[in-house]
Amino acid sequence: MSDNFDVTLGWLKERFRAGNLQADFRQANVQRYREAFERGEYRMVDYDPLMLDYQIAYMRSADWAVEDCSVTLLHDGRAAAVCPLLVFFKGQEALLSSSTTDVFPPLFIAGVAGSVRKRLTKGWLDVVRQLATRAGAADWRSLEAFRNQQGLSDWHHLLMADGARLTVAHDWYVDLSLDMADIKAGFRTSYKSLINKAERLWQVKVVSGRGDKALWEAFHALHALVAGRQTRSQATWDLQWDTVIQERGFLVCLFDVASRMVGGGYFHFTPDEAVYAVGAYDRALFDKPLGHAVQYRAIQELRSRGIRWYRIGRQCYAADTPAPSDKECAISSFKSGFATHLFPVFRTLNHATLS
């Protein structure tokens, strides 16, 4: 921990005292954050401490300095919510985030009373606003996505009441509580024959737990080959492999008749949600059903593990801000062919408030 970060933590502790908030810093009590997260009402992957560790390593590999200000909020001495918050610095630029670009609302533990939620949310939001000012961020972004609940959070209401500027994005999901036959029946019509073709073309393997690390390394090598370079640090790949070992991730990989890996996808999951995190496919075989086979097998695997929802990816629209690229639109179109639901994602642009 740097001297500057010691100063930041001291400053945050003062803000907590002034706002009558009790909190444990994740860095000081990793276990408490992890246990509170596991009791969360809807455990989004972005709140997972394993994902936080990955994002920190990823941003550091891109030459950002990182301060982990994530906390467990307490009520009467007991954990009530987790609040992931990272502050990134590069030169004169500062960025507040719970992942890479947006700050997320508190994730509450089931059973926390509504009045307590409102008080803790307001107190934490006040701290975030003051931290943004202190860090030199003229504004910061917040995101509220699907939480398997009705209605929006106190966090969203408070931001909008304070004049935040709202934009809406959209995410595709697969409802994994449905029978596999019903999920497949909803696939884009052309995908059904492509999946059947893929089953004849490729051998499919799932790497999980303490599986074959050589296959993970082959996937890493394929990713670098397809990208034409190493796109991120070895540390980020090691952290993802650790997620596989801890049974919070798995790799679906494809092999041709010569036992050569031709494609694969890495998936990170919690008991409530899964995301498609990394994919790599042999560019010479893009006319073949590679991604179709990986997605189909991943959905089967997620259902067998009892995961509730699969957040497969963003839906792009021409009017989105910022405007999506052609590549992003193509990826969006591909993923939408597997989905069962489209949910809104509310993003707000918030001005830092002087304390």
Side-chain angles (χ1 to χ4, degrees):
M1 187 182 302
S2 69
D3 291 341
N4 286 342
F5 194 27
D6 280 333
V7 172
T8 298
L9 293 185
W11 178 88
L12 284 169
K13 289 175 182 178
E14 289 295 327
R15 301 286 79 71
F16 292 143
R17 279 192 286 269
N20 194 28
L21 286 176
Q22 292 178 293
D24 267 352
F25 290 102
R26 187 177 86 101
Q27 281 208 351
N29 198 334
V30 174
Q31 186 62 22
R32 188 166 211 174
Y33 182 99
R34 181 180 297 113
E35 290 174 353
F37 168 74
E38 294 298 340
R39 295 166 59 203
E41 290 175 317
Y42 182 72
R43 290 155 288 188
M44 283 180 63
V45 169
D46 303 271
Y47 290 76
D48 190 337
L50 295 171
M51 179 58 81
L52 282 176
D53 291 339
Y54 168 82
Q55 296 295 359
I56 289 169
Y58 178 83
M59 293 299 281
R60 283 176 175 160
S61 72
D63 298 324
W64 288 82
V66 183
E67 294 183 350
D68 183 1
C69 300
S70 306
V71 300
T72 306
L73 291 179
L74 313 177
H75 174 65
D76 288 342
R78 295 191 296 271
V82 293
C83 303
L85 181 63
L86 309 174
V87 186
F88 305 128
F89 298 95
K90 182 187 285 187
Q92 299 301 309
E93 187 176 1
L95 175 66
L96 271 66
S97 176
S98 296
S99 180
T100 54
T101 58
D102 302 284
V103 179
F104 302 138
L107 168 61
F108 283 96
I109 290 171
V112 176
S115 59
V116 175
R117 292 170 186 248
K118 290 179 180 178
R119 181 180 67 81
L120 294 182
T121 297
K122 184 179 185 305
W124 176 242
L125 181 54
D126 287 344
V127 170
V128 173
R129 285 169 169 154
Q130 293 177 64
L131 182 59
T133 298
R134 184 179 187 276
D139 50 49
W140 54 281
R141 295 185 180 276
S142 179
L143 180 149
E144 179 155 331
F146 173 74
R147 298 172 296 138
N148 201 34
Q149 297 177 5
Q150 291 185 340
L152 293 166
S153 69
D154 296 316
W155 173 272
H156 179 81
H157 168 65
L158 289 169
L159 288 172
M160 294 303 296
D162 197 39
R165 191 168 68 195
L166 177 68
T167 57
V168 180
H170 303 79
D171 278 346
W172 286 110
Y173 285 74
V174 179
D175 181 353
L176 298 170
S177 70
L178 299 173
D179 290 338
M180 192 64 217
D182 292 332
I183 293 175
K184 189 175 181 180
F187 287 172
R188 187 170 294 148
T189 301
S190 60
Y191 284 11
K192 298 168 188 176
S193 61
L194 290 171
I195 289 169
N196 292 334
K197 181 178 180 181
E199 290 178 336
R200 297 191 296 271
L201 285 174
W202 319 121
Q203 180 185 3
V204 185
K205 291 184 180 179
V206 176
V207 180
S208 63
R210 295 192 175 275
D212 189 347
K213 190 176 182 181
L215 294 182
W216 177 257
E217 292 171 346
F219 174 64
H220 181 184
L222 177 62
H223 188 276
L225 178 65
V226 170
R229 60 187 178 88
Q230 293 287 347
T231 60
R232 49 189 170 88
S233 68
Q234 181 63 43
T236 63
W237 288 93
D238 292 341
L239 285 166
Q240 287 177 328
W241 173 247
D242 188 54
T243 301
V244 173
I245 291 174
Q246 295 190 46
E247 294 286 3
R248 279 300 175 89
F250 60 81
L251 171 67
V252 178
C253 41
L254 309 178
F255 299 86
D256 63 14
V257 293
S259 298
R260 181 177 65 93
M261 187 181 291
V262 295
Y266 162 71
F267 301 80
H268 187 141
F269 62 88
T270 74
D272 297 317
E273 180 184 87
V275 298
Y276 177 38
V278 185
Y281 303 94
D282 187 334
R283 291 186 181 277
L285 299 172
F286 268 18
D287 61 329
K288 302 291 194 300
L290 296 167
H292 303 80
V294 167
Q295 292 297 329
Y296 183 57
R297 184 65 185 87
I299 291 170
Q300 291 177 312
E301 180 70 17
L302 292 168
R303 284 194 74 260
S304 73
R305 291 174 178 267
I307 314 304
R308 180 63 181 85
W309 291 94
Y310 171 31
R311 175 160 46 104
I312 191 168
R314 184 62 45 89
Q315 168 62 42
C316 293
Y317 294 108
D320 284 350
T321 303
S325 67
D326 290 344
K327 180 179 179 180
E328 288 171 330
C329 289
I331 293 172
S332 167
S333 176
F334 168 73
K335 292 178 178 178
S336 69
F338 296 94
T340 62
H341 291 72
L342 181 66
F343 292 119
V345 179
F346 298 100
R347 299 187 72 197
T348 57
L349 178 64
N350 318 289
H351 294 295
T353 304
L354 294 172
S355 59

